[in-house]
Amino acid sequence: MVKQIKLNYALRDLEPYIDKETMNIHYNKHHAAYTKNANSILAKMGIKSEDPKVIFRNVSKNAGLRNNSGGWWNHNFFFEALCNPRKSKISAGFKALLSKNFGSYDKFVEEFSNAAATQFGSGWAWLGKKKDGSLEIYSTANQDNCFMDVNKISSIPILCLDVWEHAYYLQYQNRRPEYVKNFYNVIDWSVVEDRYNA
Ligand code: MN3
């Protein structure tokens, strides 16, 4: 059985940038449904592993598995790297790494925001670490991620942003760019940095 991560913050802790009701619906309804559906499809396919890499090697065989296992894992990865705005601090070292890769922290924000804003329809923006340690920004459609056998992305993700309408519509309606702009206030950079160093 694959599981939802337990949030290490309260649903209201991301306010005012992501409100409590959006988090409630997103985590307790959408994410819970992806997880439940992923488990039922995995059972039907006879896949017992909970290892995402094993699961994602099988998504080309089943569109339901692709959508729901992606929805399960991507949301775990997203929610894990969020925190209360007061705790959202980037280290000097990681800021320097972003500057080295993108020109400056502001350029990183610009490029990542652009990937999030221009992903047509539903999907995700990602920051990934390449084999040589350099960083790249890209987006995926629907619930796809780089580990899936349907994709050819070789970098390892360290940060992602959900740009499905269900992630922001309740609070921001059609104003995706405003939601994206506010995301930078609730990133738990310590998680992102740990992922980079793992
Ligand atoms: Mn979502």
Side-chain angles (χ1 to χ4, degrees):
M1 291 265 289
V2 300
K3 292 186 185 74
Q4 281 183 279
I5 57 155
K6 293 234 163 38
L7 303 179
N8 62 2
Y9 45 83
L11 295 172
R12 66 174 180 281
D13 278 357
L14 309 180
E15 292 187 348
Y17 304 109
I18 303 175
D19 71 11
K20 182 185 172 185
E21 193 52 14
T22 300
M23 279 302 295
N24 178 38
I25 303 284
H26 201 179
Y27 177 78
N28 288 315
K29 304 290 182 190
H30 291 280
H31 189 196
Y34 287 122
T35 307
K36 183 169 177 266
N37 293 337
N39 279 316
S40 105
I41 296 165
L42 286 167
K44 278 188 198 127
M45 292 177 74
I47 298 170
K48 292 197 172 62
S49 179
E50 294 166 21
D51 181 345
K53 287 183 182 160
V54 172
I55 293 170
F56 294 143
R57 276 204 292 272
N58 285 281
V59 301
S60 57
K61 296 174 194 158
N62 186 307
L65 183 69
R66 180 175 177 172
N67 292 330
N68 288 288
S69 68
W72 155 66
W73 190 88
N74 294 355
H75 285 94
N76 273 353
F77 201 74
F78 175 57
F79 289 137
E80 186 181 53
L82 299 179
C83 68
N84 182 275
R86 283 191 306 277
K87 291 183 189 157
S88 175
K89 288 196 180 67
I90 186 165
S91 72
F94 204 75
K95 207 167 188 175
L97 183 73
L98 291 175
S99 295
K100 188 181 155 201
N101 279 273
F102 301 105
S104 65
Y105 171 79
D106 289 344
K107 284 280 182 199
F108 154 73
V109 167
E110 189 183 319
E111 197 174 316
F112 191 87
S113 301
N114 190 47
T118 57
Q119 168 56 42
F120 184 77
S122 299
W124 296 78
W126 302 87
L127 177 64
K129 178 192 179 183
K130 295 199 235 175
K131 281 201 179 75
D132 64 1
S134 66
L135 298 171
E136 70 171 343
I137 289 166
Y138 60 93
S139 62
T140 57
N142 303 315
Q143 296 294 357
D144 280 5
N145 64 50
C146 69
F147 298 115
M148 293 181 170
D149 62 1
V150 290
N151 282 323
K152 290 194 167 52
I153 303 156
S154 59
S155 63
I156 300 299
I158 59 171
L159 174 71
C160 67
L161 174 60
D162 188 342
V163 293
W164 280 61
E165 284 187 346
H166 71 226
Y168 61 88
Y169 215 84
L170 207 56
Q171 184 178 0
Y172 293 95
Q173 293 80 48
N174 60 329
R175 304 187 307 279
R176 188 194 285 191
E178 193 180 327
Y179 158 73
V180 171
K181 184 169 173 245
N182 284 339
F183 166 64
Y184 302 96
N185 294 296
V186 292
I187 298 174
D188 189 340
W189 285 106
S190 66
V191 171
V192 180
E193 198 165 342
D194 285 348
R195 288 170 178 171
Y196 181 83
N197 292 321

